[in-house]
Amino acid sequence: MRARGDRETHRAATPLELFFDLCFVVAVAQAAAALHHALAENHIGTGVFGFLTVFFAIWWAWLQFTWFASAYDTDDVPYRVATFVQIGGALVLASGVGRAFDGDFTIIVIGCVLMRLALVGQWLRAARSDPPRRPAALRYALGIAVLQGCWVARLALPENLLVPSLLVLVLGELAVPVWAERVRGTGWHRRHIAERYGLFTIIVLGEVVLATTNAVREALESGHAVGSLVSLAVAALVIVFSMWWLYFDQPAHERLTSLRIAMTWGYGHLLIFASAAAVGAGIEVAIDYDTHATHLGGVAAGMATTVPVAVFLLAVWLMHIGPRNECRPIAVGFPAAAALVLAASFTGAPIHVTAGVLVALVATVVIATHGEPEPGSPERGRNLPERAA
């Protein structure tokens, strides 16, 4: 297993990586659907907690595979078999989402352990084949293996220790890459990483479109008014289109100039992915409210969409734009739009107002950049070194 070069040209996602992402669609859809049902029943606290917990497991498993693949994707038989095992674990994880929202994480843990032990085997193989980076690979293998044992042991803890132990283990998971990369770090390809994150963003936004379509279809089949539902569906699509535009307007790879920045950027995407997935659940709640199929009041139903949209805007602002961006209309526009979106919760049409705010933000970005990506053109990005020293 040879390390991939971090300066390869035309490094793109492989068919196996795309297949891996496709299988994660199931887990993301299950998490969003469970959040929708919890919110619709006015179980806001338990629903949000369950969603964040489950989505962390989904995101973390995807992230670990993605960064390993960027460093060591050899696409040989052992690598493919190990990836198939990880895909199997992802499907097991997806099957346990419903139970996890009820407080039973057994199936989720089984799926995660299956995925992560396959990854341990990959890291051990990398350690054997890549002597210069062996210390980092062994640290990854050790840290992942120990934590999987801790996750299994957590299932036996009393109920009053479940939340504290969850927080400790999450911090432990986040710390393993930081600890492993303190020695000679593994390689990674910044264009490849940026593309992989972009593809997962598309998957999550696609789930929003699917959730909206299914909710509108079910409402129409129940005999509800067509006009208001169509209007709501159009506003939802405008929100999704605007989210896509705002995320992909900036060339993300230009920001990945060091490992520290890349890790912060990569970890920060938890907010982007989770908030985007939650928007789909929020749109469904809005449709439920219009069709009198939820126990939520108008403000709470609106916040099911406006809060995740605002989080998405702030996360994209922090990860892709930056408060010190030289283009002030953009630097100020994102947090201002997030505030206006939250304020839309208290209007009579939160989804439509949110769509209007996002269109205005997209227009601001287009006018401020004259339709060209900032801080530079794609040509400028191609002339930058693939990885900063």
Side-chain angles (χ1 to χ4, degrees):
M1 176 176 278
R2 294 183 179 180
R4 296 292 296 263
D6 56 11
R7 300 177 187 273
E8 292 181 46
T9 58
H10 308 296
R11 177 75 188 276
T14 66
L16 184 58
E17 287 177 310
L18 298 178
F19 183 48
F20 184 87
D21 288 357
L22 179 63
C23 293
F24 266 77
V25 170
V26 180
V28 173
Q30 291 291 325
L35 176 62
H36 161 230
H37 291 304
L39 294 178
E41 295 296 326
N42 203 15
H43 301 152
I44 298 174
T46 56
V48 172
F49 177 78
F51 174 76
L52 292 177
T53 304
V54 168
F55 202 90
F56 174 84
I58 296 169
W59 164 77
W60 189 244
W62 177 88
L63 179 146
Q64 292 285 291
F65 167 82
T66 296
W67 284 82
F68 180 87
S70 192
Y72 290 106
D73 184 359
T74 53
D75 199 32
D76 56 8
V77 172
Y79 181 87
R80 290 185 177 187
V81 171
T83 300
F84 291 155
V85 173
Q86 290 176 276
I87 289 174
L91 296 178
V92 172
L93 185 155
S95 68
V97 167
R99 292 189 178 186
F101 271 74
D102 294 328
D104 182 2
F105 289 89
T106 304
I107 304 300
I108 291 280
V109 169
I110 292 173
C112 287
V113 169
L114 184 62
M115 297 181 69
R116 306 303 298 288
L117 290 183
L119 187 60
V120 168
Q122 295 278 59
W123 279 117
L124 290 176
R125 187 181 175 209
R128 183 184 61 190
S129 306
D130 188 10
R133 297 182 175 87
R134 181 173 296 156
L138 289 176
R139 286 190 178 194
Y140 273 111
L142 175 62
I144 294 171
V146 169
L147 281 167
Q148 300 325 292
C150 293
W151 282 111
V152 173
R154 178 182 175 273
L155 296 174
L157 291 178
E159 186 174 351
N160 63 318
L161 294 178
L162 291 181
V163 173
S165 62
L166 173 67
L167 296 177
V168 170
L169 290 176
V170 165
L171 291 175
E173 291 280 3
L174 296 174
V176 167
V178 178
W179 173 59
E181 296 289 342
R182 290 180 67 88
V183 294
R184 179 175 178 179
T186 57
W188 53 278
H189 195 288
R190 66 195 190 101
R191 285 184 178 273
H192 176 252
I193 288 294
E195 181 190 19
R196 297 291 292 117
Y197 274 73
L199 289 171
F200 200 77
T201 301
I202 291 174
I203 284 176
V204 177
L205 291 177
E207 288 298 325
V208 178
V209 175
L210 178 62
T212 302
T213 302
N214 289 337
V216 171
R217 175 182 55 80
E218 291 174 4
L220 290 175
E221 290 176 352
S222 301
H224 292 281
V226 175
S228 62
L229 291 175
V230 170
S231 174
L232 193 58
V234 171
L237 287 178
V238 170
I239 290 173
V240 175
F241 296 159
S242 299
M243 291 169 67
W244 177 91
W245 191 304
L246 295 169
Y247 180 88
F248 287 100
D249 185 71
Q250 303 294 317
H253 67 275
E254 289 191 356
R255 300 185 64 85
L256 307 183
T257 56
S258 70
L259 178 62
R260 180 184 62 81
I261 293 174
M263 292 186 72
T264 302
W265 183 87
Y267 282 6
H269 266 69
L270 172 60
L271 294 176
I272 293 177
F273 294 154
S275 61
V279 169
I283 295 296
E284 290 186 275
V285 170
I287 294 173
D288 288 342
Y289 178 78
D290 275 14
T291 57
H292 310 290
T294 179
H295 299 291
L296 291 176
V299 173
M303 293 182 72
T305 300
T306 59
V307 170
V309 169
V311 172
F312 178 87
L313 292 176
L314 291 175
V316 171
W317 177 61
L318 290 172
M319 296 301 110
H320 283 192
I321 309 300
R324 299 180 181 178
N325 191 288
E326 61 185 15
C327 185
R328 300 313 296 168
I330 296 178
V332 176
F334 274 78
L340 290 174
V341 166
L342 289 177
S345 309
F346 303 95
T347 66
I351 308 302
H352 298 80
V353 174
T354 296
V357 171
L358 292 186
V359 168
L361 180 58
V362 170
T364 300
V365 170
V366 171
I367 294 171
T369 62
H370 305 289
E372 294 294 334
E374 291 288 341
S377 66
E379 286 73 19
R380 174 177 177 269
R382 282 194 287 269
N383 291 332
L384 289 175
E386 287 298 323
R387 182 181 181 186

